[in-house]
Amino acid sequence: MEYSPRHMTVSAVWSGMPGERLTLRSTSEIGRFPGAAPPTRVQVTIHNENEKQEEGGCRRWFRKICPCCCKRKNSTSYDVTDKVELTKVPAPTPEPTKPKPENGERKETEGVELSVCSVDLLSSGLGQNRVEHHTDQFHGDELIIRRGQTFQIEIELSRPFSAETDKMHLELKTGFLPKVSKGTHVIIPLVEHLEDERWEAKITEQNGTKIKLSVNSPANAVIGLYGLSVITGSLKDEAPTTHSSSKNIVMLFNPWCEEDTVFMDDDDQRKEYVLNDTGRIYYGTEKQIGARTWNFGQFHEGILEACLFVLEKSDMPPSGRGDPVNVVRVISAMINAQDDYGVLVGNWSGNYSDGVSPAAWSSSVEILRKYHSSEGIPVSYGQCWVFSGVTTTVLRCLGIPARSVTNFQSAHDTDVSLTTDVYFDENLQPIDHLNSDSVWNFHVWNDCWMARPDLPPGHGGWQAVDSTPQETSQGIFCCGPASVSAIRSGQVYLKHDTPFVFAEVNSDKIYWQRNLDGTFSQIYSEKKAVGHCISTKAVGSDERDDITQLYKHPEDSEEERIAVETASRYGSKPDVYSAPAAEDVQVEVKIDGEGPRMGSDAKLSIVMKNLSSKARRATLHSQVAVMHYTGVLKNAIKKDQIPVELLPNEEKTIEWVLPYQQYQNQLMDQAALMLTLCGRVSETKQVLANQTSFRLRTPDLKILPLGDAVVGKEMSAKITFTNPLPRMLKDVVFRVEGLGLQKGHEVVVGDVGGHSTVTLTEHFIPSQPGPRKLVASLDCKQLTQVHGVADITVLEQ
């Protein structure tokens, strides 16, 4: 589902009763996501804040009947405002430390209602939460966290908490009328063990009346401003009490979390595209490229509040803020003021007397702060580099990796023809009213990084997004996110706005002459007119990085021509290029059996069929790239050209091989690869295309139960693993667990030589009868996704 911000509707951030708005207020377990912390090295021998206010019973009864009219005296009041504010409140007076009750004093707390005295969000900018969540650069001492990662809070209670008699849970609310079904009202239970991909909390420390909680969030949580409440009660079904924290929580996207769709696996790139608050924006012409420094300032005072305010000003439901595709699309619309009272007014007239000249800006900070402080009055004026700079700021602030990108000789296609058209009359004089397409010296937009589960695999990674108002998209002045890999291959039928960006970087310039009968004929085509020197700031330096190859194949290459002609057939002038005379050649990729195995050469079969009675010739261009499980392509590791000759009605099988040596140092967790084929039949000009993803199979762990499985009687199991690689595996760790058999634990094996076999013998005593499963997995940097299971039926003693 996508959201388009059409009107100036302020969607406030709410909690509790309608009419109350959250504002961020400030008083003065290690993050859990893959790769965050090394495993515990277990050596195993393999042989055998607010005080509780007292109130009368009548008042408590009346408050239950009419909570609006009779609020608790200590309930938090919220400012009603059209701005997201980080406001300070006086620090609460610390309570005198109470001595820890001895055994003889326990009776003093018996019968005392369990309630919350205070909540400490541990939100200091230098504290554990902010440092581990990479939010320590943000100004102020608010709790700013990233989804998919745990954070810590401390709670002061009216008496010691007892798991046997007491109950407690947390609630987070965001948006107007929060709903559990929408993910905007989150109920967080207390659990004994935290698991990934869910809202949970665990008590990690308890000292008298103080407890410390580790709270986990899923990687698809809604981002934005949350209000926190702690609900306490008794297991005896007494009425629970609610304590609302005086401070709120900001949740951001998490490029450090593998399960988040904005995950970026390169730390240097994260530092550049998320944490770097300055950058370079390029302008000029392709032969005279200029550069200017831009202050993105995403961590500057007031910018986080301004970015959240921009989201509020759109009519995007808070429930849609968990999907970066939706968020980016809304931001691209809200940065311009064309139809939704967004941040910047575009002006190309040369007259900027009633505002600031676009060339005078060098920072996003003043623009965003001015927009926020004026409660949403658009700022004057912007042009493409200003729109791009502000977009980079907002996306990086929200946690989406982003960069500003400049395209030289940038086409502006106005009729979705995917060509840049120039019209002449019978005397070769330009027809001005038809020549609406144009080519700009340069144009600046943005790339943002994310997986695209809404598109076919291989189209995640960099996505083009443009906040400059040029053409409408679904009636709104916004553009993107468009997959850069789809743009490169001419797959313009993939959303969003891929045709427009394709035309900017790779359209042909077509010259038309009007005939005497009023029709037009092509008189010339210019194939290298647009899309040159596509530039962005390099990672870790102020050098210019030319990324043209990400957006288009080399000029004059057959792949580039295929992409142009493929794209044009989905435009408003599909007959600009001659259609193929016939489409009688088929290409497909087959995988034998269970597929290639890790550690061996990967072999696939390319099957080509000629369905015609005439010979056919073609050249297949093949490329194989490493792919994240989310469908994001990492890098190409092999390219080939395969000439093919087919006799009439012939079927030919071509063996394609990827040697182990070429992929051994390239693979990631899921060991997935994407093979892309494209080509053209010489005789008919038919385009051939195929994409096939495949995984290199990893070996299973073999688990053999030994002895009788009886409750209370010791038994054992032998776990065997053979290294499939001709190289050493370093720091190998086994994890073994069986519900009703034994608790989960780790076995540190160390280094395992190439093709070596490791055997572990686990000894355990089953505790529960019935069918059970003993599960084991292996983890090391060089090899993942290795696991095994054994079914064990445990008998009663």
Side-chain angles (χ1 to χ4, degrees):
M1 183 174 181
E2 66 187 56
Y3 302 95
S4 297
R6 295 176 179 272
H7 309 292
M8 181 186 172
T9 302
V10 180
S11 176
V13 184
W14 303 86
S15 174
M17 296 298 298
E20 297 177 344
R21 179 189 297 272
L22 294 185
T23 57
L24 286 178
R25 301 176 181 269
S26 176
T27 59
S28 71
E29 213 166 314
I30 296 177
R32 295 175 65 253
F33 54 86
T40 305
R41 301 185 69 84
V42 181
Q43 298 296 330
V44 178
T45 303
I46 314 295
H47 53 264
N48 346 297
E49 306 156 339
N50 294 327
E51 295 186 8
K52 172 70 180 173
Q53 301 291 325
E54 295 297 329
E55 58 184 353
C58 293
R59 182 174 178 83
R60 284 200 301 270
W61 175 86
F62 186 53
R63 179 169 47 78
K64 292 178 184 177
I65 299 300
C66 187
C68 301
C69 302
C70 191
K71 296 181 180 178
R72 285 181 175 274
K73 293 180 181 180
N74 68 336
S75 64
T76 305
S77 63
Y78 299 116
D79 297 329
V80 178
T81 172
D82 281 341
K83 294 186 293 181
V84 178
E85 296 180 336
L86 302 179
T87 58
K88 303 280 185 180
V89 295
T93 304
E95 293 185 354
T97 304
K98 299 177 183 179
K100 193 173 180 179
E102 302 293 336
N103 290 339
E105 299 176 325
R106 286 178 182 165
K107 292 183 180 179
E108 295 181 11
T109 63
E110 290 181 3
V112 175
E113 181 184 21
L114 180 67
S115 60
V116 175
C117 300
S118 64
V119 175
D120 186 351
L121 296 183
L122 305 177
S123 59
S124 166
L126 300 177
Q128 177 186 5
N129 280 334
R130 295 273 296 271
V131 170
E132 290 175 353
H133 285 251
H134 305 278
T135 60
D136 50 306
Q137 293 187 52
F138 280 101
H139 187 273
D141 283 332
E142 292 73 37
L143 182 55
I144 306 166
I145 56 175
R146 299 189 187 275
R147 64 186 192 176
Q149 189 174 346
T150 55
F151 61 95
Q152 324 299 318
I153 65 173
E154 289 184 349
I155 300 175
E156 173 79 21
L157 299 169
S158 58
R159 61 170 173 78
F161 179 82
S162 171
E164 287 74 26
T165 59
D166 299 325
K167 58 184 179 181
M168 175 189 300
H169 72 270
L170 310 180
E171 292 191 10
L172 289 174
K173 295 180 181 180
T174 185
F176 180 62
L177 296 178
K179 293 183 179 180
V180 173
S181 61
K182 297 289 188 180
T184 53
H185 178 185
V186 179
I187 299 173
I188 308 175
L190 280 185
V191 297
E192 292 186 5
H193 302 286
L194 293 179
E195 297 183 23
D196 290 328
E197 288 302 289
R198 62 184 65 183
W199 285 104
E200 291 178 330
K202 173 187 176 183
I203 298 177
T204 56
E205 296 179 20
Q206 183 165 358
N207 184 11
T209 58
K210 283 190 175 182
I211 61 172
K212 187 173 185 179
L213 294 180
S214 185
V215 185
N216 193 42
S217 65
N220 62 352
V222 169
I223 64 133
L225 188 65
Y226 284 87
L228 170 68
S229 298
V230 183
I231 291 82
T232 54
S234 168
L235 296 178
K236 299 178 181 178
D237 294 328
E238 295 178 0
T241 61
T242 299
H243 176 95
S244 297
S245 171
S246 61
K247 293 177 65 175
N248 299 311
I249 298 172
V250 178
M251 179 75 76
L252 303 176
F253 292 104
N254 194 349
W256 285 264
C257 174
E258 288 191 18
E259 285 74 33
D260 197 319
T261 47
V262 302
F263 171 67
M264 179 173 265
D265 68 343
D266 185 282
D267 191 54
D268 289 336
Q269 290 187 340
R270 286 192 295 250
K271 290 177 181 176
E272 180 67 49
Y273 300 132
V274 182
L275 300 181
N276 195 350
D277 57 4
T278 60
R280 304 275 276 176
I281 297 180
Y282 297 92
Y283 64 95
T285 68
E286 61 179 300
K287 294 183 179 179
Q288 293 175 305
I289 297 176
R292 62 182 302 163
T293 298
W294 192 270
N295 177 22
F296 299 123
Q298 66 267 33
F299 304 117
H300 199 279
E301 182 178 6
I303 297 304
L304 175 59
E305 304 93 301
C307 293
L308 295 176
F309 178 67
V310 170
L311 279 181
E312 282 195 10
K313 292 290 286 184
S314 74
D315 64 357
M316 180 187 193
S319 59
R321 296 178 190 171
D323 183 354
V325 175
N326 291 336
V327 171
V328 164
R329 190 155 175 79
V330 166
I331 293 300
S332 80
M334 286 301 300
I335 297 304
N336 70 74
Q338 194 76 7
D339 47 19
D340 48 22
Y341 293 92
V343 176
L344 273 165
V345 179
N347 186 344
W348 288 264
S349 70
N351 180 9
Y352 315 114
S353 58
D354 56 345
V356 177
S357 167
W361 300 112
S362 60
S363 169
S364 305
V365 173
E366 183 181 352
I367 295 170
L368 286 168
R369 291 179 68 175
K370 188 173 183 179
Y371 181 71
H372 186 207
S373 64
S374 69
E375 301 186 18
I377 297 176
V379 178
S380 300
Y381 289 104
Q383 290 183 10
C384 64
W385 64 90
V386 188
F387 288 110
S388 174
V390 174
T391 299
T392 299
T393 299
V394 175
L395 295 183
R396 288 186 183 181
C397 183
L398 297 178
I400 300 175
R403 62 191 185 187
S404 291
V405 171
T406 302
N407 176 40
F408 293 92
Q409 293 298 101
S410 186
H412 182 171
D413 176 26
T414 59
D415 60 0
V416 202
S417 65
L418 283 80
T419 56
T420 302
D421 300 297
V422 183
Y423 294 93
F424 297 93
D425 63 15
E426 298 84 348
N427 300 316
L428 289 180
Q429 296 300 309
I431 305 175
D432 291 338
H433 72 278
L434 292 181
N435 290 331
S436 55
D437 287 356
S438 59
V439 178
W440 299 14
N441 284 342
F442 73 95
H443 180 49
V444 190
W445 62 74
N446 294 84
D447 281 346
C448 59
W449 181 273
M450 66 182 71
R452 289 298 298 271
D454 57 324
L455 301 182
H459 292 100
W462 288 118
Q463 314 288 313
V465 55
D466 194 346
S467 299
T468 300
Q470 297 182 86
E471 299 294 325
T472 58
S473 171
Q474 297 175 306
I476 303 296
F477 279 97
C478 62
C479 180
S483 166
V484 171
S485 69
I487 294 165
R488 188 174 192 260
S489 59
Q491 294 174 284
V492 297
Y493 46 84
L494 298 175
K495 60 184 182 183
H496 296 279
D497 308 309
T498 311
F500 185 79
V501 185
F502 178 89
E504 288 182 300
V505 300
N506 207 15
S507 58
D508 285 352
K509 199 170 185 178
I510 308 294
Y511 295 80
W512 303 83
Q513 184 178 20
R514 187 166 61 196
N515 302 316
L516 294 176
D517 62 358
T519 61
F520 285 87
S521 299
Q522 289 188 50
I523 57 175
Y524 182 66
S525 65
E526 198 176 348
K527 296 181 171 60
K528 303 179 185 178
V530 305
H532 300 164
C533 303
I534 303 176
S535 304
T536 191
K537 177 187 171 299
V539 173
S541 78
D542 283 337
E543 297 299 313
R544 183 179 69 89
D545 187 11
D546 191 311
I547 58 170
T548 307
Q549 77 285 353
L550 295 183
Y551 274 87
K552 58 197 293 189
H553 293 282
E555 295 284 4
D556 286 337
S557 67
E558 189 171 37
E559 298 101 312
E560 188 262 348
R561 286 292 89 198
I562 289 172
V564 170
E565 295 181 26
T566 298
S568 70
R569 293 192 181 111
Y570 293 92
S572 60
K573 298 177 181 175
D575 299 325
V576 167
Y577 302 97
S578 58
E583 295 188 345
D584 48 28
V585 176
Q586 295 179 350
V587 59
E588 64 176 321
V589 176
K590 292 186 177 180
I591 301 174
D592 294 333
E594 295 180 328
R597 288 185 171 273
M598 176 73 75
S600 303
D601 295 348
K603 298 179 181 180
L604 304 179
S605 298
I606 302 172
V607 180
M608 298 191 65
K609 297 179 182 178
N610 179 9
L611 304 180
S612 78
S613 57
K614 296 181 180 179
R616 295 287 186 250
R617 290 179 297 111
T619 298
L620 276 183
H621 302 267
S622 72
Q623 172 182 296
V624 64
V626 177
M627 186 171 67
H628 287 272
Y629 75 94
T630 55
V632 177
L633 294 180
K634 184 180 181 184
N635 56 301
I637 55 180
K638 182 189 178 186
K639 296 182 179 181
D640 280 319
Q641 291 187 20
I642 309 170
V644 181
E645 294 187 6
L646 296 170
L647 298 174
N649 300 304
E650 180 184 12
E651 177 178 312
K652 181 175 287 186
T653 299
I654 302 165
E655 297 300 328
W656 181 88
V657 180
L658 175 63
Y660 166 74
Q661 288 74 17
Q662 287 191 249
Y663 72 75
Q664 61 177 335
N665 296 319
Q666 304 290 330
L667 296 181
M668 297 169 296
D669 286 353
Q670 303 295 320
L673 297 164
M674 171 76 82
L675 174 63
T676 301
L677 302 174
C678 73
R680 192 200 304 269
V681 178
S682 301
E683 293 80 5
T684 63
K685 306 306 179 186
Q686 175 190 352
V687 169
L688 304 173
N690 181 280
Q691 279 193 316
T692 302
S693 59
F694 61 97
R695 185 174 66 88
L696 297 170
R697 293 191 62 248
T698 51
D700 293 330
L701 295 180
K702 297 179 180 179
I703 305 178
L704 178 64
L706 303 174
D708 296 330
V710 179
V711 173
K713 179 181 177 182
E714 181 177 294
M715 67 173 297
S716 58
K718 185 168 71 173
I719 304 173
T720 305
F721 163 72
T722 300
N723 179 7
L725 306 183
R727 61 189 297 190
M728 179 176 290
L729 303 180
K730 292 185 174 293
D731 301 322
V732 174
V733 175
F734 282 80
R735 291 181 173 84
V736 186
E737 181 179 13
L739 298 178
L741 298 174
Q742 66 169 2
K743 291 184 178 180
H745 67 282
E746 296 179 345
V747 180
V748 178
V749 175
D751 297 344
V752 178
H755 299 304
S756 297
T757 298
V758 176
T759 300
L760 305 179
T761 302
E762 285 282 304
H763 297 268
F764 52 92
I765 300 176
S767 58
Q768 296 180 20
R772 300 289 162 190
K773 291 182 182 294
L774 183 65
V775 180
S777 63
L778 174 146
D779 185 35
C780 74
K781 188 174 182 180
Q782 299 84 10
L783 192 64
T784 60
Q785 297 298 317
V786 178
H787 39 76
V789 62
D791 291 310
I792 299 175
T793 300
V794 181
L795 304 176
E796 292 277 12
Q797 192 168 11

